[in-house]
Amino acid sequence: MATTLTGVLFPFKGFTPAIGTGIVSSVVLAVTVLARYAFNMIGAWRWIYVVTAVVSLYLNCFVLVVQGFLKVPALHALAPQGNEPAFALTQGLVLVLFVIAGFIAVRRFHPGSGTAALARSTSA
């Protein structure tokens, strides 16, 4: 939340892709917070929580890659315009890794199961 909210504190010079990403990220984070705290990840809210948490982290990594190619001289030399194959390949790889991680997370995340197992092991 802090990353997204502090991003809007910079000077506003019209609508940019960064502001669009921030708006999408804020909406995704709002759903994540609702799923976690208002609906306690019960029923379908479990996978909604996991998916929105993964999407939120992906958006942060998406911005990280963009900033990396803008600010790190060696990466900037590979893609000075931000539309070269090195940039697209990197963003594509990050996306694929997050899709795989998200799929695994949805299948394996069961809230409360780790807590219950921990409680049983410490009480024995």
Side-chain angles (χ1 to χ4, degrees), residues 35-83:
R36 170 65 182 98
Y37 295 105
F39 299 106
N40 295 315
M41 300 180 290
I42 296 172
W45 289 102
R46 176 190 66 85
W47 68 263
I48 292 169
Y49 170 76
V50 173
V51 168
T52 55
V54 170
V55 168
S56 178
L57 182 58
Y58 166 72
L59 290 171
N60 281 334
C61 289
F62 175 84
V63 171
L64 175 70
V65 171
V66 170
Q67 290 297 315
F69 274 92
L70 287 174
K71 310 282 185 194
V72 176
L75 294 176
H76 188 72
L78 292 173
Q81 301 300 316
N83 58 3

Side-chain angles (χ1 to χ4, degrees), residues 22-36:
I23 291 169
V24 171
S25 181
S26 296
V27 170
V28 170
L29 281 171
V31 175
T32 305
V33 169
L34 279 173
R36 170 65 182 98

Side-chain angles (χ1 to χ4, degrees), residues 87-113:
F87 178 78
L89 183 64
T90 304
Q91 289 290 21
L93 179 62
V94 170
L95 177 62
V96 167
L97 291 174
F98 270 89
V99 167
I100 292 168
F103 179 77
I104 292 169
V106 166
R107 300 210 17 127
R108 292 188 180 174
F109 180 69
H110 301 285
S113 62

